[in-house]
Amino acid sequence: MEGLYNNITVTEAAALQKSVREKVVLQKPSDFNITTVAGADISFNKYETTVYAGIIVLNFPSLTPLSYALVQTEVTFPYVPGYLAFREVPALLQAWELLPQKPSVLIVDGHGIAHPRRMGIATHFGVLTGQTTIGCAKKKLWGKYELPPDERGAHSYLYDKGEVIGSVLCTRPKVKPVFVSPGYGLSVDDSLDIIKQCMGKYRIPEPTRKAHELVNNFRTGRLQAGYHQL
C-alpha cells in the first residue's frame, strides 16, 4: 500500500471520495460480537513526508493492551483538511497488514461520516478493508451541534442539514468533548455506545489515546517498527 495516493491530486481525491460513498455500510451484522478493539493513529510533522503509523489492539471490555504494530513510511500527498485519509490511510494499511489477528472494531483518531462527503479517514479505511470502524476526533470537521451536559458520558448529536452524522461526547467534566461518528459497519448509536465503553481517566478514549502515545514514542525513537505482542 506504500505510495497508494502519492500521485493523486486533491481534485481527483474529492471525486474518489464521492464515487466510493455508495459503498459505505452503516449497519452492524447480526452476528456482531466485540472481543477486541483497536486504536489507530498517525504522527508526523505537518509539512514533512515521513509519517509514523500505529495500531494497538486491546481486549474488550477490559481494555488491556494485547499487541501493536508500527510502520514508518513516506507520503507526498499534502496536508489538506478533509483529505487526511489520502495522506494517512496508506500508512495505516501497512500497520494493519502486520496484525496477524484483526480486532473486532478499529477506532481511528479522525472522523467517519462526520465529513462533508461522508468519507473521513475511518470510513475510507473501512470501505477499503471491510473492517468495522469508528472515527473519534478531537475537533469538529463538519456539522452543527449543541454542547452536551458537562458530565461524563453525556452526549448530543452532530447534524448536517437535518441528518445525524455523529455524536458529541463528554468524556470528562470541564474538558472539551470528542466527536464520534461511524466509519463502517456500525450506526451512529452503536459507535457512541462502544466509545462510551472505551472511556478511561482521560479525555481521549483509551484505544486512540494509547495509539497516540505509541506513535509519538515511535517517532521519537523509543519504540521500534514492526509487530509486537504485549
Side-chain angles (χ1 to χ4, degrees):
M1 294 297 178
E2 188 170 0
L4 178 62
Y5 296 127
N6 280 355
N7 297 316
I8 193 172
T9 67
V10 173
T11 300
E12 291 168 338
L16 181 59
Q17 286 178 333
K18 291 176 182 177
S19 70
V20 299
R21 179 174 169 176
E22 63 187 35
K23 298 180 181 179
V24 178
V25 175
L26 297 178
Q27 182 176 359
K28 66 181 178 182
S30 58
D31 61 349
F32 184 68
N33 181 43
I34 306 178
T35 58
T36 54
V37 62
D41 197 10
I42 293 277
S43 181
F44 59 86
N45 295 319
K46 187 176 290 188
Y47 299 108
E48 294 184 3
T49 59
T50 303
V51 298
Y52 303 84
I55 298 175
I56 185 166
V57 181
L58 303 90
N59 184 56
F60 187 88
S62 72
L63 303 181
T64 305
L66 301 173
S67 63
Y68 64 88
L70 294 169
V71 168
Q72 176 183 337
T73 190
E74 299 294 318
V75 298
T76 58
F77 192 89
Y79 177 85
V80 183
Y83 298 91
L84 292 188
F86 293 92
R87 183 176 174 89
E88 300 185 3
V89 160
L92 288 178
L93 287 171
Q94 289 183 53
W96 180 255
E97 290 167 358
L98 293 178
L99 296 175
Q101 293 183 314
K102 310 307 185 194
S104 307
V105 179
L106 178 68
I107 302 170
V108 183
D109 179 32
H111 295 279
I113 64 165
H115 181 279
R117 291 167 297 283
R118 305 295 185 267
M119 283 296 296
I121 185 171
T123 304
H124 196 120
F125 189 98
V127 168
L128 289 181
T129 61
Q131 168 67 30
T132 301
T133 59
I134 301 170
C136 186
K138 296 180 282 292
K139 296 180 180 179
K140 185 197 79 169
L141 175 67
W142 197 252
K144 296 182 179 181
Y145 68 97
E146 294 184 0
L147 277 172
D150 188 29
E151 58 187 52
R152 178 181 168 89
H155 75 276
S156 59
Y157 286 114
L158 185 64
Y159 295 90
D160 181 26
K161 298 177 181 178
E163 177 186 356
V164 178
I165 58 172
S167 306
V168 185
L169 174 63
C170 176
T171 54
R172 285 188 63 194
K174 297 180 171 51
V175 300
K176 293 179 180 180
V178 296
F179 295 83
V180 181
S181 58
Y184 187 91
L186 293 169
S187 68
V188 168
D189 287 334
D190 290 333
S191 301
L192 176 64
D193 179 61
I194 291 168
I195 295 297
K196 283 184 176 182
Q197 294 179 70
C198 292
M199 294 189 304
K201 296 186 298 182
Y202 302 92
R203 175 193 176 209
I204 307 303
E206 287 300 282
T208 46
R209 187 185 72 83
K210 290 183 180 298
H212 180 72
E213 288 183 345
L214 203 67
V215 292
N216 281 338
N217 284 335
F218 180 37
R219 179 175 54 82
T220 54
R222 285 173 282 184
L223 292 174
Q224 299 299 311
Y227 172 72
H228 306 269
Q229 287 186 302
L230 297 168

